[in-house]
Amino acid sequence: GENVEQHPSTLSVQEGDSAVIKCTYSDSASNYFPWYKQELGKRPQLIIDIRSNVGEKKDQRIAVTLNKTAKHFSLHITETQPEDSAVYFCAASELPGGYNKLIFGAGTRLAVHP
Amino acid sequence: KAGVTQTPRYLIKTRGQQVTLSCSPISGHRSVSWYQQTPGQGLQFLFEYFSETQRNKGNFPGRFSGRQFSNSRSEMNVSTLELGDSALYLCASSFGTGKGNEQFFGPGTRLTVL
């Protein structure tokens, strides 16, 4: 069935370092890949997304890359700050057929130390 | 623009009871998806409603059901509650069409089953 694997499960970095989180999806039909950030006790917030017709997308310190052949996509955070500390989830879905059925990875707990 | 709202925020029930959770989407959004979040299983898709019709369904037992009203508000119902149903239940809304599939989450309803 549909599956999204996410690594690592925990990531600890020093402030100013880069952080990379990787995901692999199983369903070849997946074509939409959002990333969510969830701070403790809060709702998941969409931080960036990418569709399968592009290989990379950037938004300030955040970037996402997609390798459709390998079914991999990754989140890159540069110049990390303590407020980046949170759990990050990758997800995949098929548009339009899968509509809004997001299959989530297990999450990565990122800790940024001052 | 007001965000996604969910009521109630917290619920305590006992095994065998039933519960109804409510979700009000962002104005103009016609799609509402429901997710269950637990420490062990992560974020799992329950179902999606669009224009009062269930458009997609996850792998949950029939005890989990939902509906959507003409104003796009959605409810989900869990009957014959089990201890394992204790979780944070999140809803997310989107336009649900080519206009935009980004999903925005509500704050969740934390259900505790005793």
Side-chain angles (χ1 to χ4, degrees), chain A residues 16-93:
Chain A
D17 288 349
S18 295
V20 179
I21 303 170
K22 299 182 179 182
C23 290
T24 304
Y25 60 97
S26 63
D27 188 352
S28 302
S30 295
N31 56 12
Y32 173 64
F33 308 93
W35 286 87
Y36 285 85
K37 174 184 180 183
Q38 187 175 31
E39 296 176 74
L40 188 63
K42 299 200 173 172
R43 71 188 79 188
Q45 300 261 15
L46 179 69
I47 56 171
I48 196 168
D49 58 10
I50 191 168
R51 295 175 192 263
S52 59
N53 57 345
V54 297
E56 184 175 7
K57 183 176 178 181
K58 289 183 180 179
D59 183 4
Q60 300 183 336
R61 297 186 295 108
I62 293 173
V64 57
T65 59
L66 172 65
N67 182 329
K68 286 188 297 183
T69 304
K71 296 188 209 170
H72 288 168
F73 57 114
S74 300
L75 178 71
H76 304 252
I77 306 174
T78 58
E79 301 173 22
T80 54
Q81 302 167 2
E83 50 265 39
D84 294 330
S85 297
V87 179
Y88 291 81
F89 293 95
C90 63
S93 75

Coordinates of all heavy atoms in Angstrom, one line a residue, chain A residues 16-93:
Chain A
G16 N 22.6 27.9 13.3 CA 23.4 28.4 12.2 C 23.8 27.2 11.3 O 24.1 27.5 10.1
D17 N 23.7 26.0 11.7 CA 24.0 24.8 10.9 C 22.8 24.6 9.9 O 21.7 25.2 10.1 CB 24.2 23.6 11.7 CG 25.6 23.6 12.4 OD1 26.4 24.5 12.1 OD2 25.8 22.7 13.3
S18 N 23.0 23.7 9.0 CA 21.9 23.3 8.1 C 21.3 22.0 8.6 O 22.0 21.2 9.3 CB 22.4 23.1 6.7 OG 22.9 24.3 6.1
A19 N 20.1 21.7 8.3 CA 19.4 20.5 8.6 C 18.7 19.9 7.4 O 18.2 20.7 6.6 CB 18.3 20.8 9.7
V20 N 18.8 18.6 7.2 CA 18.3 17.9 6.0 C 17.4 16.8 6.5 O 17.9 16.0 7.3 CB 19.3 17.4 5.1 CG1 18.7 16.7 3.9 CG2 20.2 18.5 4.6
I21 N 16.2 16.7 6.0 CA 15.3 15.6 6.4 C 14.9 15.0 5.0 O 14.5 15.7 4.1 CB 14.0 16.1 7.1 CG1 14.4 16.9 8.4 CG2 13.1 15.0 7.4 CD1 13.3 17.6 9.1
K22 N 14.9 13.6 5.0 CA 14.7 12.9 3.8 C 13.4 12.0 3.9 O 13.2 11.4 4.9 CB 15.9 12.1 3.4 CG 17.2 12.9 3.2 CD 18.3 12.0 2.8 CE 19.6 12.9 2.6 NZ 20.7 12.1 2.2
C23 N 12.7 11.9 2.8 CA 11.5 11.1 2.7 C 11.5 10.3 1.4 O 12.0 10.8 0.4 CB 10.3 11.9 2.8 SG 10.0 12.6 4.4
T24 N 11.0 9.1 1.5 CA 10.8 8.2 0.3 C 9.4 7.8 0.3 O 8.8 7.4 1.3 CB 11.7 7.0 0.5 OG1 13.1 7.4 0.7 CG2 11.7 6.1 -0.7
Y25 N 8.8 7.8 -0.9 CA 7.4 7.4 -1.1 C 7.3 6.2 -2.0 O 8.2 5.9 -2.8 CB 6.6 8.5 -1.6 CG 7.0 9.1 -3.0 CD1 6.4 8.6 -4.2 CD2 8.0 10.0 -3.1 CE1 6.7 9.1 -5.4 CE2 8.4 10.5 -4.3 CZ 7.8 10.1 -5.5 OH 8.1 10.5 -6.7
S26 N 6.2 5.4 -1.8 CA 6.1 4.2 -2.5 C 5.2 4.3 -3.7 O 5.4 3.5 -4.7 CB 5.6 3.1 -1.6 OG 4.3 3.4 -1.1
D27 N 4.2 5.1 -3.7 CA 3.2 5.2 -4.8 C 3.7 6.1 -5.9 O 3.8 7.3 -5.8 CB 1.9 5.8 -4.2 CG 0.7 5.7 -5.2 OD1 1.0 5.3 -6.3 OD2 -0.4 6.0 -4.8
S28 N 3.9 5.4 -7.1 CA 4.4 6.1 -8.2 C 3.5 7.2 -8.7 O 3.9 8.2 -9.4 CB 4.6 5.2 -9.4 OG 5.5 4.2 -9.0
A29 N 2.2 7.1 -8.3 CA 1.2 8.1 -8.8 C 1.3 9.4 -7.9 O 0.7 10.4 -8.3 CB -0.2 7.5 -8.7
S30 N 2.0 9.4 -6.9 CA 2.1 10.6 -6.0 C 2.7 11.7 -6.8 O 3.7 11.5 -7.5 CB 2.9 10.3 -4.8 OG 2.3 9.3 -4.0
N31 N 2.1 12.9 -6.7 CA 2.7 14.0 -7.4 C 2.6 15.4 -6.7 O 2.9 16.4 -7.2 CB 1.9 14.2 -8.8 CG 0.4 14.3 -8.6 OD1 -0.1 14.5 -7.5 ND2 -0.3 14.2 -9.7
Y32 N 2.2 15.3 -5.4 CA 2.2 16.5 -4.6 C 2.8 16.1 -3.2 O 2.4 15.1 -2.6 CB 0.7 17.0 -4.4 CG 0.6 18.1 -3.4 CD1 1.1 19.3 -3.7 CD2 -0.1 17.9 -2.2 CE1 1.0 20.4 -2.8 CE2 -0.3 19.0 -1.3 CZ 0.3 20.2 -1.6 OH 0.1 21.3 -0.8
F33 N 3.8 17.0 -2.8 CA 4.6 16.7 -1.6 C 4.7 17.9 -0.7 O 5.6 18.7 -0.9 CB 6.0 16.2 -2.0 CG 5.9 15.1 -3.1 CD1 6.0 15.4 -4.4 CD2 5.8 13.7 -2.7 CE1 5.9 14.3 -5.4 CE2 5.7 12.7 -3.6 CZ 5.8 13.0 -4.9
P34 N 3.9 18.0 0.3 CA 3.9 19.1 1.3 C 4.8 18.7 2.5 O 4.9 17.6 2.8 CB 2.5 19.3 1.7 CG 1.9 17.9 1.6 CD 2.6 17.2 0.5
W35 N 5.3 19.8 3.1 CA 6.0 19.6 4.4 C 5.3 20.4 5.4 O 4.9 21.6 5.2 CB 7.4 20.1 4.3 CG 8.3 19.2 3.5 CD1 8.5 19.1 2.2 CD2 9.1 18.1 4.1 NE1 9.4 18.1 1.8 CE2 9.8 17.5 3.0 CE3 9.4 17.7 5.4 CZ2 10.7 16.4 3.2 CZ3 10.3 16.6 5.5 CH2 10.9 16.0 4.4
Y36 N 5.1 19.8 6.6 CA 4.4 20.5 7.7 C 5.3 20.6 8.9 O 6.1 19.7 9.2 CB 3.1 19.8 8.1 CG 2.0 19.9 7.2 CD1 1.9 19.1 6.0 CD2 1.0 20.9 7.4 CE1 0.8 19.3 5.1 CE2 0.0 21.1 6.5 CZ -0.1 20.3 5.4 OH -1.2 20.5 4.5
K37 N 5.2 21.7 9.7 CA 5.9 21.9 10.9 C 4.9 21.9 12.0 O 3.9 22.6 11.9 CB 6.7 23.2 10.8 CG 7.4 23.7 12.1 CD 8.0 25.1 12.0 CE 8.6 25.5 13.3 NZ 9.2 26.9 13.1
Q38 N 5.2 21.1 13.1 CA 4.3 21.1 14.2 C 5.1 21.4 15.5 O 5.9 20.6 15.9 CB 3.6 19.7 14.3 CG 2.5 19.7 15.4 CD 1.7 18.4 15.4 OE1 2.2 17.3 15.0 NE2 0.4 18.5 15.7
E39 N 4.8 22.5 16.1 CA 5.4 22.8 17.4 C 4.6 22.2 18.5 O 3.4 21.8 18.3 CB 5.4 24.4 17.5 CG 6.3 25.0 16.5 CD 6.3 26.5 16.6 OE1 6.9 27.1 17.5 OE2 5.7 27.2 15.7
L40 N 5.2 22.0 19.6 CA 4.5 21.3 20.7 C 3.2 21.9 21.1 O 3.1 23.1 21.3 CB 5.5 21.3 21.9 CG 5.1 20.4 23.1 CD1 5.1 19.0 22.7 CD2 6.0 20.6 24.3
G41 N 2.2 21.1 21.0 CA 0.8 21.5 21.4 C 0.1 22.3 20.4 O -1.0 22.9 20.7
K42 N 0.7 22.4 19.2 CA 0.0 23.2 18.1 C -0.3 22.4 16.9 O 0.0 21.2 16.8 CB 1.0 24.4 17.8 CG 1.3 25.3 18.9 CD 1.8 26.6 18.5 CE 2.0 27.6 19.7 NZ 2.6 28.8 19.3
R43 N -1.0 23.0 16.0 CA -1.5 22.4 14.8 C -0.3 22.3 13.8 O 0.6 23.1 13.8 CB -2.7 23.1 14.2 CG -2.3 24.4 13.6 CD -3.5 25.2 13.2 NE -4.2 25.9 14.3 CZ -5.3 26.5 14.2 NH1 -6.0 26.6 13.1 NH2 -5.8 27.1 15.3
P44 N -0.4 21.3 12.9 CA 0.6 21.3 11.8 C 0.4 22.5 10.9 O -0.7 22.8 10.6 CB 0.3 20.0 11.1 CG -0.5 19.1 12.1 CD -1.2 20.1 12.9
Q45 N 1.6 23.1 10.5 CA 1.5 24.3 9.7 C 2.3 23.9 8.4 O 3.4 23.5 8.4 CB 2.2 25.5 10.3 CG 1.5 25.9 11.6 CD 0.6 27.1 11.5 OE1 0.2 27.4 10.3 NE2 0.2 27.7 12.5
L46 N 1.7 24.2 7.2 CA 2.3 24.0 6.0 C 3.5 25.0 5.8 O 3.3 26.2 6.0 CB 1.3 24.2 4.8 CG 1.8 24.0 3.4 CD1 2.2 22.6 3.1 CD2 0.8 24.5 2.4
I47 N 4.7 24.5 5.5 CA 5.8 25.4 5.4 C 6.3 25.5 3.9 O 6.8 26.5 3.5 CB 7.0 25.0 6.3 CG1 7.4 23.5 6.1 CG2 6.6 25.2 7.8 CD1 8.7 23.2 6.8
I48 N 6.1 24.4 3.2 CA 6.5 24.4 1.8 C 5.9 23.2 1.1 O 5.7 22.2 1.8 CB 8.1 24.5 1.6 CG1 8.4 24.9 0.2 CG2 8.7 23.2 2.0 CD1 9.9 25.3 0.0
D49 N 5.7 23.3 -0.2 CA 5.2 22.1 -0.9 C 5.8 22.1 -2.3 O 6.3 23.1 -2.8 CB 3.7 22.0 -1.0 CG 3.1 23.2 -1.6 OD1 3.8 24.1 -2.2 OD2 1.8 23.4 -1.5
I50 N 5.8 21.0 -2.9 CA 6.4 20.8 -4.3 C 5.5 19.9 -5.1 O 5.0 18.9 -4.5 CB 7.9 20.4 -4.2 CG1 8.5 20.5 -5.6 CG2 8.0 19.0 -3.7 CD1 10.0 20.4 -5.6
R51 N 5.4 20.2 -6.3 CA 4.6 19.3 -7.2 C 5.6 18.6 -8.2 O 6.7 19.1 -8.4 CB 3.6 20.1 -8.0 CG 2.5 20.6 -7.1 CD 1.5 21.5 -7.7 NE 0.7 22.2 -6.7 CZ -0.5 21.8 -6.3 NH1 -1.0 20.7 -6.8 NH2 -1.1 22.5 -5.3
S52 N 5.2 17.5 -8.7 CA 6.1 16.6 -9.4 C 6.7 17.2 -10.7 O 7.6 16.6 -11.3 CB 5.5 15.3 -9.7 OG 4.4 15.4 -10.5
N53 N 6.1 18.3 -11.2 CA 6.6 18.9 -12.4 C 7.8 19.9 -12.2 O 8.4 20.4 -13.1 CB 5.5 19.7 -13.1 CG 4.9 20.8 -12.3 OD1 5.1 20.8 -11.1 ND2 4.2 21.7 -12.9
V54 N 8.3 20.0 -10.9 CA 9.5 20.7 -10.6 C 10.4 19.9 -9.8 O 10.0 19.0 -9.1 CB 9.2 22.1 -9.9 CG1 8.4 23.0 -10.8 CG2 8.5 21.8 -8.6
G55 N 11.7 20.2 -9.8 CA 12.7 19.4 -9.1 C 13.1 20.1 -7.8 O 13.6 19.4 -6.9
E56 N 12.9 21.4 -7.7 CA 13.4 22.1 -6.5 C 12.5 23.4 -6.3 O 12.1 24.0 -7.3 CB 14.8 22.5 -6.6 CG 15.4 23.2 -5.4 CD 16.9 23.4 -5.5 OE1 17.5 23.2 -6.5 OE2 17.5 23.9 -4.5
K57 N 12.3 23.7 -5.0 CA 11.6 24.9 -4.7 C 12.2 25.5 -3.4 O 12.5 24.8 -2.5 CB 10.1 24.6 -4.5 CG 9.2 25.8 -4.2 CD 7.7 25.3 -4.1 CE 6.8 26.5 -3.8 NZ 5.4 26.0 -3.6
K58 N 12.4 26.9 -3.4 CA 13.0 27.5 -2.3 C 12.1 28.6 -1.8 O 11.3 29.3 -2.5 CB 14.3 28.2 -2.7 CG 15.4 27.2 -3.0 CD 16.7 27.9 -3.3 CE 17.9 27.0 -3.6 NZ 19.1 27.7 -3.9
D59 N 12.1 28.8 -0.4 CA 11.4 29.9 0.2 C 12.3 30.4 1.4 O 12.3 29.8 2.4 CB 10.1 29.4 0.7 CG 9.2 30.6 1.3 OD1 9.7 31.7 1.3 OD2 8.1 30.3 1.8
Q60 N 13.1 31.4 1.1 CA 14.0 31.9 2.1 C 15.0 30.9 2.6 O 15.7 30.4 1.8 CB 13.2 32.6 3.3 CG 12.3 33.7 2.8 CD 11.6 34.4 3.9 OE1 11.3 33.9 5.0 NE2 11.2 35.7 3.7
R61 N 14.9 30.5 3.9 CA 15.9 29.5 4.4 C 15.5 28.0 4.1 O 16.2 27.1 4.5 CB 16.1 29.7 5.9 CG 16.7 31.1 6.2 CD 17.0 31.1 7.7 NE 15.8 31.1 8.6 CZ 15.4 30.0 9.3 NH1 16.2 28.9 9.4 NH2 14.3 30.0 10.0
I62 N 14.3 27.9 3.5 CA 13.8 26.5 3.4 C 13.8 26.1 1.9 O 13.4 27.0 1.0 CB 12.4 26.4 3.9 CG1 12.4 26.6 5.4 CG2 11.7 25.1 3.6 CD1 11.0 26.7 6.1
A63 N 14.2 24.9 1.6 CA 14.1 24.4 0.2 C 13.7 23.0 0.2 O 13.9 22.2 1.2 CB 15.5 24.5 -0.5
V64 N 13.0 22.5 -0.8 CA 12.6 21.2 -1.0 C 13.1 20.7 -2.3 O 13.0 21.4 -3.3 CB 11.1 21.0 -0.8 CG1 10.3 21.8 -1.8 CG2 10.7 19.5 -0.9
T65 N 13.7 19.5 -2.4 CA 14.1 18.9 -3.6 C 13.3 17.6 -3.9 O 12.9 16.9 -2.9 CB 15.6 18.6 -3.6 OG1 15.9 17.7 -2.5 CG2 16.4 19.9 -3.5
L66 N 13.1 17.3 -5.1 CA 12.4 16.1 -5.5 C 13.1 15.3 -6.5 O 13.5 15.9 -7.6 CB 11.0 16.5 -6.0 CG 10.1 15.4 -6.6 CD1 9.7 14.3 -5.5 CD2 8.8 16.0 -7.2
N67 N 13.2 14.0 -6.3 CA 13.8 13.1 -7.3 C 12.7 12.1 -7.6 O 12.6 11.1 -6.9 CB 15.1 12.4 -6.8 CG 15.8 11.5 -7.8 OD1 15.1 10.9 -8.6 ND2 17.1 11.4 -7.7
K68 N 12.0 12.3 -8.7 CA 10.9 11.4 -9.0 C 11.3 10.0 -9.4 O 10.7 9.0 -9.1 CB 10.1 11.9 -10.2 CG 9.2 13.1 -9.9 CD 8.3 13.5 -11.0 CE 9.1 13.9 -12.2 NZ 8.3 14.4 -13.4
T69 N 12.5 9.9 -10.0 CA 13.0 8.5 -10.4 C 13.3 7.7 -9.2 O 12.9 6.5 -9.2 CB 14.3 8.7 -11.3 OG1 14.0 9.5 -12.4 CG2 14.8 7.3 -11.7
A70 N 13.9 8.3 -8.2 CA 14.2 7.5 -7.0 C 13.1 7.6 -6.0 O 13.2 6.9 -4.9 CB 15.5 8.1 -6.4
K71 N 12.1 8.3 -6.2 CA 10.9 8.5 -5.3 C 11.4 9.1 -4.0 O 11.0 8.6 -2.9 CB 10.2 7.2 -5.1 CG 9.5 6.7 -6.4 CD 8.6 5.6 -6.1 CE 8.5 4.6 -7.2 NZ 7.8 3.4 -6.9
H72 N 12.3 10.1 -4.0 CA 12.8 10.7 -2.9 C 12.5 12.2 -2.9 O 12.5 12.8 -4.0 CB 14.4 10.6 -2.8 CG 14.9 9.3 -2.5 ND1 16.2 9.0 -2.7 CD2 14.3 8.1 -2.1 CE1 16.4 7.7 -2.4 NE2 15.3 7.2 -2.0
F73 N 12.2 12.8 -1.7 CA 12.2 14.2 -1.6 C 12.7 14.6 -0.3 O 12.7 13.8 0.7 CB 10.8 14.8 -1.9 CG 9.7 14.2 -0.9 CD1 9.1 15.1 0.0 CD2 9.2 12.9 -1.0 CE1 8.0 14.7 0.8 CE2 8.2 12.5 -0.2 CZ 7.6 13.4 0.7
S74 N 13.3 15.8 -0.2 CA 14.0 16.2 1.0 C 13.7 17.7 1.3 O 13.5 18.5 0.4 CB 15.6 16.1 0.7 OG 15.9 14.8 0.5
L75 N 13.8 17.9 2.6 CA 13.7 19.3 3.1 C 15.0 19.8 3.6 O 15.7 19.1 4.4 CB 12.7 19.3 4.3 CG 12.4 20.7 5.0 CD1 11.6 21.6 4.1 CD2 11.7 20.5 6.3
H76 N 15.4 21.0 3.2 CA 16.7 21.6 3.6 C 16.4 22.9 4.3 O 15.7 23.8 3.8 CB 17.5 21.9 2.4 CG 17.8 20.6 1.5 ND1 19.0 20.0 1.5 CD2 17.0 19.9 0.7 CE1 18.9 19.0 0.6 NE2 17.7 18.9 0.1
I77 N 16.9 23.0 5.5 CA 16.8 24.2 6.3 C 18.2 24.8 6.5 O 19.0 24.1 7.1 CB 16.1 24.0 7.6 CG1 14.7 23.4 7.4 CG2 15.9 25.4 8.3 CD1 14.0 23.0 8.8
T78 N 18.4 26.0 6.0 CA 19.8 26.6 6.2 C 19.7 27.6 7.4 O 18.6 28.1 7.7 CB 20.2 27.3 4.9 OG1 19.3 28.3 4.6 CG2 20.4 26.3 3.8
E79 N 20.9 27.9 7.9 CA 21.0 28.9 9.0 C 20.0 28.7 10.0 O 19.2 29.6 10.4 CB 20.9 30.3 8.4 CG 22.0 30.6 7.3 CD 21.8 31.9 6.6 OE1 21.1 32.8 7.2 OE2 22.3 32.1 5.5
T80 N 19.9 27.5 10.6 CA 18.9 27.1 11.5 C 18.9 28.1 12.8 O 19.9 28.6 13.2 CB 19.0 25.7 12.0 OG1 20.3 25.5 12.5 CG2 18.7 24.7 10.9
Q81 N 17.7 28.3 13.3 CA 17.5 29.1 14.5 C 16.7 28.3 15.5 O 16.0 27.4 15.2 CB 16.7 30.4 14.0 CG 17.4 31.2 13.0 CD 16.5 32.2 12.3 OE1 15.3 32.4 12.7 NE2 17.0 32.9 11.3
P82 N 16.8 28.7 16.8 CA 16.1 27.9 17.8 C 14.6 27.8 17.6 O 14.0 26.8 17.9 CB 16.4 28.8 19.1 CG 17.7 29.4 18.8 CD 17.7 29.7 17.4
E83 N 14.0 28.8 16.9 CA 12.6 28.7 16.6 C 12.2 27.7 15.5 O 11.1 27.5 15.3 CB 12.0 30.1 16.3 CG 12.8 30.8 15.2 CD 13.8 31.8 15.8 OE1 14.5 31.5 16.8 OE2 14.0 32.9 15.2
D84 N 13.3 27.2 14.9 CA 13.0 26.1 13.9 C 12.8 24.7 14.7 O 12.4 23.8 14.0 CB 14.2 25.9 13.0 CG 14.4 27.1 12.1 OD1 13.4 27.8 11.7 OD2 15.5 27.4 11.7
S85 N 13.0 24.7 15.9 CA 12.8 23.5 16.7 C 11.4 23.1 16.7 O 10.5 23.9 17.1 CB 13.3 23.7 18.2 OG 14.7 23.9 18.2
A86 N 11.1 21.9 16.2 CA 9.7 21.4 16.1 C 9.8 20.0 15.5 O 10.8 19.4 15.2 CB 8.9 22.3 15.1
V87 N 8.6 19.4 15.3 CA 8.5 18.1 14.6 C 8.1 18.5 13.1 O 7.1 19.2 12.9 CB 7.5 17.2 15.2 CG1 7.4 15.9 14.4 CG2 7.9 16.9 16.6
Y88 N 8.8 17.9 12.2 CA 8.6 18.1 10.8 C 8.0 16.9 10.1 O 8.6 15.8 10.3 CB 9.8 18.6 10.0 CG 10.3 20.0 10.5 CD1 11.0 20.2 11.6 CD2 10.0 21.1 9.7 CE1 11.4 21.4 12.0 CE2 10.4 22.4 10.1 CZ 11.1 22.5 11.3 OH 11.4 23.8 11.6
F89 N 6.9 17.0 9.4 CA 6.3 15.9 8.7 C 6.4 16.1 7.2 O 6.0 17.2 6.7 CB 4.9 15.7 9.1 CG 4.6 15.3 10.5 CD1 4.4 16.3 11.5 CD2 4.7 14.0 10.9 CE1 4.2 15.9 12.8 CE2 4.4 13.6 12.2 CZ 4.2 14.6 13.2
C90 N 6.8 15.1 6.5 CA 6.6 15.1 5.0 C 5.3 14.3 4.7 O 4.8 13.5 5.5 CB 7.8 14.4 4.3 SG 8.1 12.7 4.7
A91 N 4.8 14.5 3.5 CA 3.6 13.9 3.1 C 3.6 13.8 1.6 O 4.3 14.5 0.9 CB 2.3 14.6 3.6
A92 N 2.7 12.9 1.1 CA 2.6 12.7 -0.3 C 1.1 12.4 -0.6 O 0.4 11.8 0.1 CB 3.4 11.5 -0.8
S93 N 0.7 12.9 -1.8 CA -0.6 12.6 -2.3 C -0.6 12.6 -3.8 O 0.3 13.0 -4.4 CB -1.7 13.5 -1.7 OG -1.6 14.8 -2.4

